[in-house]
Amino acid sequence: MTLPSFPTLTSLPATDHPDLVGATVAAALAVWPGAGSLAVVDIDPDLADTAAMSEAYGIPMTASGNCVVVAGARAGDERIAACVVRADTRADVNTLVRKMLDVRKASFLPMERAVAETGMEHGGITPLGLPGGWRILVHDALLEEPVVVIGSGVRRSKLLAPGALLADLPGAEVVEGLGR
């Protein structure tokens, strides 16, 4: 099998390198059947933010998936979703995500809380290895990309996935127009 790759990065089989990903991500990779199709790449942790990484490594913004965590409440019941959107767009939190969560108001989870609850680093949050009960919403436009860069749970690496495989992430819901 050919691993997903970009010419400026060295792709390694993600399942063979749990030391390059966050602990919760490694645990998720160990049990997910699609994990064999993922690559992990080492990057400079100072370039983990999408725009910096895209520029430094020549990765198109359309080939990057940003994972943001959104929350809202209804009748005292908190509802959380991780939204993976194409990096050249923004998650439609105020309309689409709010309606999907069935809450009056949806907002980004404070970064400190997102980091604490996911066990992942800021700049490395990814849809793999998230807490149970969180919804995973995937922007439909990412499925059309041959290779998508997503977080690995840590800032010093990224995962590369065939775009269509994002629909098969455990618990993923593909959402048309999630990014605007």
Side-chain angles (χ1 to χ4, degrees):
M1 170 192 293
T2 303
L3 288 174
S5 64
F6 284 102
T8 56
L9 298 166
T10 302
S11 291
L12 302 169
T15 54
D16 293 349
H17 296 277
D19 56 307
L20 292 178
V21 301
T24 61
V25 176
L29 289 172
V31 298
W32 180 45
S37 299
L38 298 180
V40 64
V41 295
D42 246 329
I43 63 163
D44 179 337
D46 292 334
L47 300 173
D49 294 330
T50 305
M53 184 208 60
S54 292
E55 185 176 332
Y57 297 105
I59 308 295
M61 293 291 278
T62 56
S64 289
N66 285 337
C67 186
V68 296
V69 182
V70 177
R74 161 88 81 218
D77 177 37
E78 184 175 53
R79 300 166 187 193
I80 299 177
C83 303
V84 186
V85 297
R86 203 172 67 190
D88 65 338
T89 68
R90 300 176 69 116
D92 183 4
V93 173
N94 293 321
T95 305
L96 186 57
V97 176
R98 179 183 58 77
K99 287 179 182 176
M100 290 188 75
L101 292 178
D102 190 27
V103 295
R104 287 188 45 202
K105 181 182 178 197
S107 56
F108 294 104
L109 205 63
M111 185 52 64
E112 301 78 27
R113 183 172 169 208
V115 166
E117 291 193 23
T118 63
M120 300 179 199
E121 297 176 1
H122 170 69
I125 294 177
T126 192
L128 275 162
L130 293 170
W134 286 19
R135 291 178 72 181
I136 300 171
L137 309 179
V138 177
H139 186 186
D140 64 322
L142 287 170
L143 305 185
E144 299 170 16
E145 293 296 322
V147 178
V148 175
V149 178
I150 58 174
S152 66
V154 295
R155 291 183 63 85
R156 68 182 189 94
S157 68
K158 295 289 183 183
L159 292 173
L160 305 183
L165 188 66
L166 297 177
D168 295 333
L169 289 169
E173 301 172 52
V174 176
V175 181
E176 184 177 340
L178 180 61
R180 302 236 173 223

